[in-house]
Amino acid sequence: MGTLQPKIFIIPLILLIFNPGCVKLPYEAPERVSFKVPESIDPEEMYRWEPPSEAELEARRARQRELDALAADIEALILKFNEMDIAARNLEAGSSSWSQKLAELDRDMMARLAEIEKKNAENKERLTGLSGEVGDLDKLLQDLLRARQLKLFRMDDYKLAYRLFRQRKYSGAASQFIRVLNTRYPSKLRDNILFGLGASYYKLKRWDKAARSLSTVFNQIQNGDKWHEASLLLGLTHYRNSRRSQALYVLHRGLERNPPPSVRNLMEKLERQIQEDPVLVTAQ
């Protein structure tokens, strides 16, 4: 039995020599890394440890408290910053919402401004039209003022008409009498104005117009101081205008109303002339 043990040991050894990969050792020790001691550490004191004193521990606790307080302040600042950041985000969101509202208000405002500008343009057009209307009204007012001015009676205009007649400016006298007739003259001068106008037309041999003015006095102003003179001149105008019967009628009416002696005398002579000589004698 003792002779067999060496042989058994030899066989694995032979196998290891000829085929080393077939045998694996049960444990391989890792390669040891060398440690270098820092120069700041004394090698002699590297393995010496002494427990800290109570003063050192208290100092360490004080420093820890200070650190904790500082950390709390930092955390508080950070948390406050986070709240501000949240508020800023909320404000930004609110600002965005307000921006939308402001944009809507701005659009509404622009729309209102556009409407106001449109109305302003329309008002300008209306104002232009109104300016034209005002101009027309002003012109009308000026015309009315001129008409009023023309309607205003002036004694000098009345006297001018008679002065023109005496100067034998019959056309000018007729125009002036018409101008006075269109004014607000005193009613007591109506028969005088119409008589002057009829006399002017008579001198101009415009029989119909002369008869029209004189007939107004004869028919409407019988109580005027020119009625008898107007009746006499109207009879003569009818006679010259080949209206014998109308002339005789006017003279007959005139004589009935007891005219002044000078007017009566002329009426009677004209009446006899018309009756004795019915043939019209044209005035020269």
Side-chain angles (χ1 to χ4, degrees):
M1 295 277 307
T3 59
L4 293 175
Q5 291 179 353
K7 294 180 180 179
I8 294 171
F9 178 77
I10 293 172
I11 293 172
L13 179 62
I14 294 172
L15 292 173
L16 180 62
I17 293 172
F18 288 98
N19 190 7
C22 65
V23 180
K24 183 178 292 185
L25 294 176
Y27 174 74
E28 294 181 358
E31 184 179 358
R32 179 173 295 180
V33 179
S34 61
F35 176 77
K36 294 181 179 180
V37 179
E39 296 180 356
S40 60
I41 299 176
D42 187 358
E44 294 181 0
E45 297 179 355
M46 184 175 64
Y47 298 104
R48 191 191 330 181
W49 179 81
E50 295 180 0
S53 65
E54 189 64 27
E56 290 177 348
L57 291 175
E58 183 60 29
R60 291 179 183 177
R61 287 192 291 268
R63 288 194 297 270
Q64 186 64 42
R65 287 193 296 270
E66 292 177 358
L67 179 61
D68 291 342
L70 179 60
D73 291 340
I74 291 172
E75 290 175 1
L77 179 63
I78 291 174
L79 291 175
K80 186 176 181 179
F81 176 80
N82 287 338
E83 291 173 357
M84 290 177 62
D85 183 58
I86 292 171
R89 288 196 298 269
N90 293 334
L91 181 62
E92 183 179 359
S95 175
S96 176
S97 176
W98 273 108
S99 297
Q100 294 178 357
K101 292 181 179 180
L102 289 175
E104 293 177 0
L105 290 174
D106 185 63
R107 287 193 295 270
D108 293 341
M109 183 65 67
M110 293 300 296
R112 292 183 63 184
L113 286 175
E115 184 179 357
I116 291 172
E117 289 180 355
K118 181 180 178 181
K119 289 183 178 180
N120 188 29
E122 292 176 353
N123 288 334
K124 286 182 178 179
E125 293 179 358
R126 291 179 61 189
L127 182 61
T128 302
L130 289 175
S131 297
E133 292 179 5
V134 169
D136 293 340
L137 290 174
D138 183 66
K139 183 178 180 298
L140 179 60
L141 178 60
Q142 294 301 322
D143 292 341
L144 290 174
L145 289 174
R146 282 192 294 270
R148 181 180 179 277
Q149 193 71 13
L150 292 174
K151 287 288 185 180
L152 185 62
F153 173 77
R154 295 182 179 86
M155 184 59 69
D156 290 341
D157 295 337
Y158 175 73
K159 292 179 179 180
L160 175 61
Y162 273 101
R163 186 163 61 250
L164 290 172
F165 185 84
R166 288 194 299 268
Q167 294 172 355
R168 299 182 180 182
K169 297 178 181 178
Y170 304 119
S171 180
S175 297
Q176 188 66 21
F177 277 120
I178 292 174
R179 188 173 295 112
V180 174
L181 193 62
N182 289 325
T183 66
R184 294 186 179 89
Y185 55 85
S187 58
K188 63 181 181 180
L189 295 179
R190 180 172 173 80
D191 59 340
N192 289 270
I193 297 169
L194 289 170
F195 179 81
L197 180 59
S200 299
Y201 283 136
Y202 176 84
K203 298 298 291 186
L204 292 171
K205 300 180 181 181
R206 302 180 67 172
W207 316 123
D208 289 337
K209 286 190 175 182
R212 189 175 303 118
S213 296
L214 296 170
S215 295
T216 302
V217 178
F218 179 81
N219 294 318
Q220 299 179 10
I221 315 174
Q222 298 180 3
N223 296 325
D225 57 1
K226 289 295 181 182
W227 188 87
H228 290 95
E229 289 84 350
S231 300
L232 179 58
L233 187 57
L234 178 60
L236 181 58
T237 300
H238 283 321
Y239 180 56
R240 292 197 177 277
N241 200 22
S242 302
R243 294 177 178 175
R244 291 179 65 255
S245 60
Q246 292 184 14
L248 291 172
Y249 171 77
V250 169
L251 292 174
H252 178 71
R253 287 282 307 274
L255 290 169
E256 287 182 344
R257 293 196 57 186
N258 192 22
S262 56
V263 175
R264 174 180 288 276
N265 186 34
L266 293 174
M267 284 184 176
E268 291 175 349
K269 288 183 178 180
L270 181 57
E271 183 181 23
R272 287 194 299 269
Q273 179 66 37
I274 295 173
Q275 292 177 347
E276 294 176 357
D277 189 4
V279 178
L280 177 63
V281 179
T282 303
Q284 300 297 325

